Amino acid sequence: MNKIFKIYRPVILLAFVFLMGIQIAIAQKIERIEPPFWWTGMKETSLQLMVYGSKISQSRPSVDYPGLTIREIQRVENPDYLFINLEVAENTRPGMAALQFRFPKGKPLTYSYALKERASGSAERQGFDNGDAIYLLMPDRFSNGNPDNDNMPGMVDRANRNNPDGRHGGDLKGIENHLDYIAGMGFTALWINPVFECNVKTPSYHGYSITDFYRVDPRLGSNDDYKALVDKAHKNGLKVIKDMVFNHFGDGHYWMKNLPMPDWINQWPTFTRSNFRAGTLTDPHAAEADKDKMLKGWFDVMMADLNQENPLVANYLIQNSIWWIEFAGIDGIRMDTYPYSERNFMAEWMRRIHQEYPNFSVVGEVWMNSPQQVAYWQQNYRNGDGFNSYLDHVFDFPLKYAVGEAFMESNGWSTGAAKLYETLSYDFLYEDPQKIIAFADNHDFDRIFNTLGEDVQKLRMALVLIATTRGLPQIYYGTEILMTGWENQGHGYIRQDFPGGWPNDSVNAFNGNGLSEQQAETQAFVKHLMHWRRKSDAVIHGKLKHYIPEEGVYVYFRYTDEQSVMVVINNNKESRSFRTERFAESLEGYSTGTDVLSRTYFDQLRIIHVPAMTARIIELQK
Ligand code: CA
């Protein structure tokens, strides 16, 4: 070996010098700066840039732009990352700021960083409220508006519409093409499942294996397409709620090939799954080991668990949310797996969002069975440990379960209609029961039509309850045309393609072609219900008063000082006529009414008749 080394020494030395040269050359490339641009005039004047490039930490960054100063440079374990803490002074003008990176050797690198002007009224945007009704859809499964993007270069899983868990080609263009349908159905807000790039081999059509927090998946469209979709939705009277995930991300992310720091993610000696017991986080008796596994265990093999206790991770995620709000003009965020992220970080996230956008809305997925467990996570909850999430909205998972069961049971002390009554009686736990989203199913559950035994009457009762109880309703796409699917068949079955969304579909639910009579009637029912709801001041602004169900009939009122709506749900296989004396405190001053669903007129309110398995929404008249 020595002899060979002696003979070839000049060659080896030359090769070494050459390789060093390459290394310097590699160092002089910035792969990414995130956030990719920012804005002037934000309330928060600090901005943290994550700079990614080979050996970038060897550089000395500087900036030459009026109003922009570097406060601190943070180097981390991995030399390919550098964090720059900037101060954007209050009156800084929009423009291109020159960031310069000087290396010990070689030429300095210059990067033009855009500071944009904020859209007028950006900070004053209004989130969603009780006047809204949310339509939830999964972009890969709603409509394929652009077959040319079904497969894209560099994206590893290929479209396959025959595979329930494959990509089916739905996209942003498809949603855009059918905004008139969604608005026409009476909905006012659109919750779109995640649209971030998910470039992983395992099924990722659902959008929850994010591989780039700053990029829309090219199979759905571009970032600009997403922004255009939001603009067009607004023109159609639809707010847009963006689905976000902070707990985990997909293993195809560049971080997983080259982590910024070992504690960027929660790591375990061997793969460790979360125990999914969010109850441990509020349980005063819970073991630390169980809480740790809940928070730091991975969601799935290909979904790494982000460590939000690392302040750099925390700041990255907070800025990412603000970037999307400002860039795309969204109205709300739905946060996935809400309790799975570190709670104090999540509270700080909310504080930062509301600092920039005081009226912006966020709803957290607190997937828990009992109201006690859900209520803990809503803002200002009077809990013993002093924690405040500042989270404004939560989904009503307990009511979702109650709806699925109540209409399938016989009526008893706490079964059947009484289950709905009892579940809502727990509202004393919530800081604000009006800031709860009622729903019957979503992309993670059996389709509500299946849960209710494919009984259209039961589905209608469920929809009436969701649309008229306190808070605001969310309906899952396809419910209006009786789409079916059991969750245990596989998630692909509860997220099937919306008929008419693909060229040559034999059924087209957008124009009604090929729908069965039952489907068309249900679609018309939902449309009528949602259009009526958006004009009902009593439902939007009113209080709720409900009465103990008797003989399986649940009666409640939504009322303001001026208006009252009486909802009657008859959970019986027989019709019921009942006297109304016991509702006197709600009926006082009202003498007649009209059922907005059947258009039945009641010339008196002393005795009310309800057909079997039917709900009435009676607008009361004085
Ligand atoms: Ca497509």
Side-chain angles (χ1 to χ4, degrees):
M1 283 299 281
N2 276 345
K3 196 176 169 189
I4 291 169
F5 179 73
K6 274 177 194 159
I7 293 166
Y8 291 101
R9 189 164 56 183
V11 178
I12 291 167
L13 280 174
L14 259 175
F16 181 71
V17 169
F18 178 70
L19 285 170
M20 282 295 288
I22 286 179
Q23 198 187 356
I24 289 162
I26 288 169
Q28 292 175 340
K29 184 170 182 246
I30 289 169
E31 302 284 340
R32 281 163 182 266
I33 292 191
E34 290 173 344
F37 52 83
W38 201 247
W39 294 267
T40 57
M42 303 296 279
K43 278 259 168 23
E44 175 62 61
T45 55
S46 65
L47 168 65
Q48 185 169 74
L49 302 183
M50 172 192 258
V51 186
Y52 180 51
S54 181
K55 304 288 184 285
I56 192 69
S57 76
Q58 293 175 357
S59 72
R60 270 193 310 121
S62 60
V63 65
D64 182 16
Y65 192 81
L68 197 59
T69 46
I70 293 179
R71 278 195 321 200
E72 192 192 5
I73 291 156
Q74 279 180 268
R75 294 182 172 82
V76 293
E77 283 92 333
N78 185 337
D80 295 342
Y81 292 85
L82 186 65
F83 292 82
I84 307 175
N85 294 325
L86 291 164
E87 178 75 16
V88 190
E90 212 172 301
N91 296 317
T92 305
R93 310 275 305 163
M96 300 300 289
L99 295 174
Q100 202 169 62
F101 298 83
R102 283 196 182 76
F103 292 85
K105 281 183 183 173
K107 283 188 202 160
L109 251 181
T110 303
Y111 188 98
S112 283
Y113 191 82
L115 286 171
K116 303 193 173 194
E117 188 174 3
R118 299 181 71 183
S120 69
S122 174
E124 291 79 37
R125 77 190 63 206
Q126 299 296 311
F128 51 81
D129 56 35
N130 286 358
D132 289 311
I134 302 168
Y135 192 74
L136 161 63
L137 65 82
M138 185 161 278
D140 183 59
R141 302 301 171 88
F142 187 64
S143 173
N144 189 357
N146 178 12
D148 292 341
N149 67 10
D150 292 1
N151 293 298
M152 293 294 277
M155 296 288 119
V156 289
D157 58 331
R158 313 283 297 167
N160 179 3
R161 221 182 148 197
N162 297 319
N163 176 0
D165 291 319
R167 287 202 170 251
H168 291 188
D171 48 36
L172 300 182
K173 183 69 184 153
I175 301 170
E176 196 183 313
N177 290 345
H178 298 295
L179 289 171
D180 57 343
Y181 169 77
I182 300 162
M185 285 295 293
F187 293 95
T188 62
L190 192 51
W191 160 21
I192 304 172
N193 284 133
V195 298
F196 299 93
E197 181 199 277
C198 283
N199 196 13
V200 293
K201 290 190 193 83
T202 45
S204 63
Y205 69 91
H206 47 66
Y208 289 96
S209 303
I210 299 169
T211 56
D212 191 332
F213 284 92
Y214 281 101
R215 188 189 191 199
V216 168
D217 195 288
R219 292 160 293 191
L220 299 177
S222 66
N223 285 10
D224 286 335
D225 292 339
Y226 181 70
K227 183 178 160 60
L229 173 64
V230 175
D231 287 345
K232 199 169 170 194
H234 288 165
K235 289 193 180 90
N236 279 269
L238 290 163
K239 296 170 184 173
V240 176
I241 301 166
K242 186 169 176 61
D243 207 330
M244 291 196 176
V245 194
F246 279 1
N247 177 61
H248 49 267
F249 61 99
D251 60 2
H253 196 290
Y254 72 92
W255 288 337
M256 290 310 285
K257 296 180 195 86
N258 196 16
L259 280 174
M261 316 156 77
D263 74 346
W264 193 259
I265 57 173
N266 289 308
Q267 304 209 50
W268 299 77
T270 54
F271 172 74
T272 304
R273 201 182 290 275
S274 172
N275 51 30
F276 305 111
R277 291 243 182 210
T280 56
L281 305 175
T282 49
D283 175 359
H285 313 297
E288 292 304 319
D290 289 342
K291 285 197 261 188
D292 230 40
K293 208 166 175 181
M294 162 63 207
L295 275 177
K296 298 176 180 170
W298 286 27
F299 205 76
D300 210 334
V301 188
M302 63 297 177
M303 291 177 176
D305 195 74
L306 273 166
N307 175 22
Q308 304 94 6
E309 287 181 65
N310 178 330
L312 293 170
V313 174
N315 220 357
Y316 182 94
L317 294 172
I318 290 168
Q319 291 185 162
N320 181 257
S321 292
I322 292 170
W323 189 88
W324 279 107
I325 298 170
E326 193 66 33
F327 167 73
I330 53 174
D331 308 279
I333 289 175
R334 176 265 184 187
M335 179 52 72
D336 187 62
T337 45
Y338 184 87
Y340 289 71
S341 297
E342 203 280 318
R343 76 184 85 176
N344 293 311
F345 153 72
M346 293 302 275
E348 173 62 8
W349 171 65
M350 284 304 313
R351 188 193 70 77
R352 288 276 301 273
I353 287 179
H354 283 150
Q355 175 183 295
E356 300 294 349
Y357 315 97
N359 304 314
F360 189 82
S361 303
V362 175
V363 54
E365 183 203 24
V366 182
W367 185 343
M368 309 285 285
N369 296 352
S370 75
Q372 299 92 311
Q373 290 173 312
V374 177
Y376 176 92
W377 300 98
Q378 195 188 28
Q379 66 184 351
N380 304 331
Y381 180 66
R382 306 160 299 280
N383 60 66
D385 63 9
F387 172 71
N388 190 344
S389 70
Y390 301 103
L391 173 69
D392 35 77
H393 284 78
V394 286
F395 286 108
D396 200 340
F397 280 88
L399 187 63
K400 176 250 169 308
Y401 289 112
V403 167
E405 291 162 10
F407 300 119
M408 300 300 284
E409 295 172 340
S410 54
N411 299 297
W413 178 262
S414 48
T415 57
K419 186 165 275 174
L420 303 171
Y421 172 80
E422 273 198 10
T423 303
L424 288 158
S425 76
Y426 281 100
D427 272 5
F428 72 92
L429 289 162
Y430 295 104
E431 158 64 17
D432 189 351
Q434 293 289 3
K435 289 194 168 175
I436 299 182
I437 297 180
F439 68 106
D441 63 356
N442 66 24
H443 59 289
D444 286 324
F445 290 100
D446 295 334
R447 287 273 185 180
I448 185 62
F449 191 45
N450 292 64
T451 309
L452 298 178
E454 300 196 21
D455 182 321
V456 175
Q457 289 298 107
K458 289 178 181 176
L459 179 70
R460 287 186 179 201
M461 290 196 291
L463 290 170
V464 166
L465 182 92
I466 296 301
T468 60
T469 190
R470 87 291 190 252
L472 63 152
Q474 170 249 298
I475 308 281
Y476 186 40
Y477 81 98
T479 302
E480 73 274 26
I481 50 156
L482 308 175
M483 278 175 69
T484 56
W486 292 109
E487 189 266 338
N488 65 9
Q489 286 178 291
H491 278 173
Y493 290 94
I494 53 176
R495 305 162 178 174
Q496 294 186 59
D497 300 344
F498 191 82
W502 276 251
N504 309 319
D505 277 358
S506 57
V507 174
N508 186 339
F510 295 117
N511 62 20
N513 281 345
L515 287 180
S516 72
E517 200 178 320
Q518 221 178 28
Q519 285 178 307
E521 279 173 12
T522 307
Q523 195 181 36
F525 177 85
V526 172
K527 185 176 180 175
H528 178 58
L529 180 61
M530 292 304 155
H531 276 284
W532 169 79
R533 189 191 185 280
R534 51 192 299 186
K535 294 193 294 283
S536 174
D537 203 49
V539 170
I540 295 170
H541 297 114
K543 292 178 182 168
L544 167 68
K545 181 171 285 188
H546 64 174
Y547 291 79
I548 302 165
E550 285 186 3
E551 294 183 16
V553 180
Y554 180 39
V555 175
Y556 58 91
F557 294 81
R558 296 299 310 278
Y559 64 102
T560 64
D561 290 344
E562 286 79 37
Q563 277 188 22
S564 186
V565 170
M566 179 185 191
V567 181
V568 182
I569 296 177
N570 178 15
N571 190 35
N572 288 289
K573 293 188 181 78
E574 309 82 32
S575 65
R576 285 279 189 274
S577 288
F578 57 91
R579 302 190 65 82
T580 60
E581 284 94 343
R582 70 185 183 109
F583 312 122
E585 64 185 284
S586 296
L587 288 171
E588 197 188 337
Y590 293 99
S591 53
T592 61
T594 304
D595 176 7
V596 300
L597 299 172
S598 64
R599 294 176 173 91
T600 308
Y601 176 68
F602 293 85
D603 60 1
Q604 52 76 36
L605 298 171
R606 288 183 305 281
I607 296 173
I608 302 280
H609 176 80
V610 208
M613 286 302 195
T614 297
R616 287 199 188 283
I617 303 176
I618 306 171
E619 276 184 324
L620 301 178
Q621 281 118 33
K622 287 177 177 163

